[in-house]
Amino acid sequence: LGLRGYAGYLAPETDADGNQVLTYWGNTGAAVNGELDLDGLVRFSPGKLGRTLHLDAYLFGDAGVMGYRRVDGTGTVQELALPRADAGLGFALTIKRWGPLSDLKPLTIRFDMPLLLSALPATESEHFAFRYIFAIGRSF
């Protein structure tokens, strides 16, 4: 669902029958993702490389809920896990031009730091901690 703070976690949930269900994947869910661009606050002036490189800094927030299925006495029941949210700081470096390879499209490399999580994964003990993700492209 694009919740950057939960990338790579199994996101366990306890269902109504007391069974543990992993909600890191599914065919039902909803999410809201937002970014606040900090271009006016973070200046990146690489001189002549400015035609080739562009750096964006941004604050982000993600919130979502994942659906899962459980089986009870009446059949299969669709349930929703508890909502999860994260917030943090990110940077996106875009390579706009490739020199003699002018036909290549721009490439964006992201470094996101989801510093705050609403629900802790099993291996974590702090809601506010250093976590990070490297990714390619601005969509998540």
Side-chain angles (χ1 to χ4, degrees):
L1 294 175
L3 276 66
R4 291 168 259 203
Y6 296 94
Y9 293 117
L10 297 177
E13 185 78 23
T14 304
D15 68 11
D17 298 328
N19 301 318
Q20 198 166 49
V21 180
L22 303 179
T23 61
Y24 67 96
W25 67 276
N27 60 3
T28 305
V32 173
N33 309 91
E35 293 184 358
L36 176 63
D37 205 349
L38 301 176
D39 272 348
L41 298 174
V42 177
R43 298 279 183 212
F44 178 65
S45 301
K48 290 182 180 181
L49 288 176
R51 292 179 291 171
T52 304
L53 299 175
H54 178 74
L55 180 70
D56 282 318
Y58 50 89
L59 298 173
F60 67 84
D62 309 313
V65 62
M66 180 65 80
Y68 64 92
R69 294 174 191 224
R70 70 177 179 85
V71 178
D72 67 3
T74 63
T76 302
V77 178
Q78 183 75 33
E79 298 281 341
L80 289 177
L82 293 174
R84 289 182 170 83
D86 62 56
L89 174 67
F91 298 94
L93 178 68
T94 301
I95 304 169
K96 300 184 287 186
R97 300 171 76 186
W98 295 90
L101 303 173
S102 61
D103 291 341
L104 292 180
K105 293 183 179 181
L107 172 70
T108 301
I109 302 168
R110 289 188 306 122
F111 178 69
D112 291 335
M113 295 176 288
L115 302 172
L116 182 63
L117 300 182
S118 66
L120 292 176
T123 60
E124 304 260 344
S125 60
E126 298 291 326
H127 288 275
F128 188 82
F130 180 72
R131 303 166 185 90
Y132 64 92
I133 307 167
F134 280 104
I136 294 178
R138 280 303 288 263
S139 62
F140 30 84

